[in-house]
Amino acid sequence: MRTVTATVLTLALAAAAAAPAAASPGRPGIDGVWRMDGYGTVLSLHGDTLQEFQTTSVSCVEGEAARRTGPGAYTTDDGTVLTVRPGPDQDRATLGADSSVGHRALRRIKELPSDCTRPTPKDARTSFDVFWHSFAENYPFFAAKGVDWQDMRDRYRPMVHKDTTRKELFGIFSDMVRPLYDAHVAVEDGDLVFAQARPGTEVPTESLDTKVKKFVVERDLKGAPYRQDFANGRITYADLPGSAGQGYLRISGFGGYTSEDAPYAAHLAALDKALDTILTKDRTQRLKGLIIDLRINGGGSDALGIHIAERLTDKPYVAYAKRARNHPTDPGRHTRPEPIRVAPADGPRYTGPIAVLTGGSTVSAGETFTQALIDRPGGTIRIGRPTQGVFSDVMERNLPNGMTAILPNEEFLNRSGRTYDGSGVPPHLTEPVFTKEEFAKKRDSAFDRAVSVLRNKG
């Protein structure tokens, strides 16, 4: 349930779902042992403690703990607030986290699985088995990626024995997941991390973000009558010069808006402060078009993306539906899709035409936000290149030997029931995005196309 950071991402990726209202203190149905639909997780709630257990068909490894901080609310060490709400009977409940969207269904079970009551061996082969089963029972995209996971087990398990070193095992795990080319997949051993992006795309590093921001300010925003950075530099807004009422909003991530260890509420407050300054009553009335630049966006909180979308509509709509793989041997079985809704925010809102700039360095929450604007009333056009193609919250699986596996298990569906995983959200209009040639010739074709398109719409 904890937020994790892989080297292919520069911002935290949300790894839990958001919660409905908390239950009353002491209300029946909270304390006990609960199995989560999907996610390979059992929760033990007793007194002031929530303890996670990460399960497969062959293992149970202790996960994260959280302490009770309010009625039905538990806070993890990294500040994530988890909320448990009893369902219509004492055997059902829901779980969520403040930084994500949706919620997870819980079913009461009588006691912890037997694997959770005894120590798990820490040898290399046991760690291999937990690693393999974690993917086999949760990863949804093997068929789409053309990867035979059973073949991976048959090929690599004979290489693992009692004398296999950590370095060798890390290499084996890395080789097994390498063909997935999934930016939400990683293997970690302390500071050692294997992770990679889709071929042909560049990861959204801090240095790339700095380079692009400087280029955009000097080339695209030169002479802007108003320009300001917000949210720890993650958000930039400018009124474009000579553009007949066009605005430019650059978002480099859905997180990192304040100090690293600040809770989600602090990041949300920083975002609201920025949006209140940008989307004033006067500006929303005179804007004729808005460019939202997500081309270098490392992801973060899906909930923050929905929060921004609520400032961009005067009509409620469904952003997407979210579901998780829900069977250890059948990747075609899922939890019930949960619609994630966008409700108009109070106060000034911009409801006119929007041009969204995307590329291969638009990752995770940058993509779910892009997807959330597809059915937005008011008109939205996408310009640039397809996004990275990773949408799911990420699961962090602790291995018995202390290594960590990171993987997705969810799909974000559009209204046709399609997921954009792998291929990414495609643009309506294709333009180069920060290529060497664009930099060399000081061109920004996607930005220029957006200005032109919005001018014609105005």
Side-chain angles (χ1 to χ4, degrees):
M1 291 173 289
R2 175 166 78 82
T3 299
V4 290
T5 303
T7 52
V8 298
L9 304 177
T10 57
L11 299 173
L13 302 173
S24 301
R27 179 177 173 180
I30 293 181
D31 276 13
V33 182
W34 301 88
R35 184 179 296 279
M36 195 178 295
D37 285 352
Y39 302 93
T41 297
V42 169
L43 299 178
S44 175
L45 277 65
H46 290 287
D48 291 333
T49 302
L50 178 153
Q51 178 63 57
E52 175 196 43
F53 293 89
Q54 302 168 359
T55 66
T56 71
S57 59
V58 300
S59 64
C60 177
V61 178
E62 191 171 289
E64 189 171 36
R67 66 189 185 282
R68 187 191 293 269
T69 50
Y74 301 81
T75 302
T76 66
D77 288 343
D78 68 357
T80 300
V81 178
L82 307 174
T83 307
V84 179
R85 180 181 180 179
D89 60 65
Q90 294 189 12
D91 292 331
R92 295 281 176 174
T94 58
L95 170 76
D98 56 357
S99 59
S100 292
V101 296
H103 62 277
R104 301 177 182 185
L106 303 176
R107 295 177 291 109
R108 184 186 293 278
I109 57 178
K110 291 183 179 180
E111 57 189 8
L112 285 173
S114 58
D115 283 341
C116 301
T117 63
R118 53 178 178 259
T120 303
K122 302 182 188 305
D123 62 284
R125 182 157 279 194
T126 299
S127 294
F128 178 97
D129 289 341
V130 174
F131 179 86
W132 185 86
H133 278 277
S134 295
F135 279 85
E137 297 176 16
N138 295 288
Y139 190 75
F141 309 121
F142 287 121
K145 302 280 187 177
V147 173
D148 185 334
W149 195 240
Q150 180 63 49
D151 179 67
M152 288 291 183
R153 183 183 189 278
D154 295 343
R155 187 190 317 174
Y156 286 100
R157 194 172 190 271
M159 300 180 185
V160 181
H161 47 80
K162 64 182 180 65
D163 295 322
T164 300
T165 66
R166 291 182 72 90
K167 183 177 180 181
E168 290 170 339
L169 191 60
F170 180 88
I172 287 171
F173 290 162
S174 301
D175 288 343
M176 290 172 68
V177 300
R178 193 183 309 274
L180 298 174
Y181 290 104
D182 188 325
H184 270 179
V185 169
V187 183
E188 295 184 352
D189 186 14
D191 294 334
L192 192 62
V193 179
F194 172 83
Q196 61 185 353
R198 175 165 56 84
T201 64
E202 188 170 1
V203 298
T205 61
E206 185 176 349
S207 60
L208 178 62
D209 182 52
T210 300
K211 176 183 178 181
V212 167
K213 184 176 181 179
K214 182 175 185 292
F215 177 82
V216 167
V217 168
E218 293 177 353
R219 194 266 184 194
D220 300 333
L221 306 184
K222 184 178 181 180
Y226 173 87
R227 177 175 63 83
Q228 186 173 343
D229 287 343
F230 302 91
N232 205 25
R234 296 293 185 188
I235 296 173
T236 299
Y237 177 80
D239 290 322
L240 295 182
S243 60
Q246 291 184 19
Y248 171 87
L249 179 63
R250 181 173 184 269
I251 307 170
S252 67
F254 294 92
Y257 294 164
T258 182
S259 62
E260 266 188 38
D261 57 351
Y264 169 77
H267 298 279
L268 179 60
L271 175 61
D272 272 331
K273 183 178 180 181
L275 295 175
D276 288 343
T277 304
I278 295 167
L279 298 176
T280 61
K281 183 177 180 180
D282 174 69
R283 181 171 283 118
T284 55
Q285 289 177 345
R286 61 182 167 81
L287 273 180
K288 305 299 182 185
L290 178 65
I291 298 171
I292 300 181
D293 192 348
L294 305 174
R295 289 174 291 179
I296 310 298
N297 186 295
S301 166
D302 297 327
L304 293 178
I306 293 295
H307 197 71
I308 296 174
E310 292 173 343
R311 300 285 191 117
L312 303 174
T313 183
D314 58 359
K315 299 176 182 178
Y317 69 97
V318 174
Y320 41 74
K322 183 176 178 179
R323 69 183 185 183
R325 180 175 165 181
N326 196 27
H327 194 275
T329 60
D330 184 356
R333 290 174 60 177
H334 302 86
T335 57
R336 183 186 300 273
E338 179 182 6
I340 306 301
R341 305 180 188 279
V342 177
D346 295 332
R349 302 180 296 269
Y350 173 73
T351 60
I354 289 177
V356 180
L357 308 184
T358 66
S361 297
T362 309
V363 179
S364 194
E367 303 183 80
T368 66
F369 177 62
T370 301
Q371 187 171 352
L373 298 180
I374 289 177
D375 293 323
R376 167 191 172 268
T380 301
I381 188 166
R382 299 183 302 277
I383 301 173
R385 297 286 182 175
T387 62
Q388 175 65 217
V390 291
F391 296 78
S392 173
D393 293 348
V394 291
M395 303 175 67
E396 180 177 310
R397 303 281 95 173
N398 298 332
L399 303 182
N401 67 348
M403 292 184 185
T404 304
I406 295 168
L407 66 152
N409 71 319
E410 300 172 335
E411 296 177 342
F412 283 57
L413 308 176
N414 64 16
R415 61 180 176 180
S416 300
R418 176 188 173 190
T419 173
Y420 297 104
D421 282 279
S423 61
V425 180
H428 294 106
L429 302 174
T430 299
E431 294 288 350
V433 173
F434 302 131
T435 62
K436 291 181 180 179
E437 183 179 9
E438 291 269 295
F439 279 127
K441 296 185 177 180
K442 291 184 169 51
R443 290 197 314 228
D444 192 345
S445 299
F447 175 88
D448 291 347
R449 188 77 177 273
V451 170
S452 175
V453 166
L454 291 178
R455 184 183 295 123
N456 292 335
K457 286 182 176 292

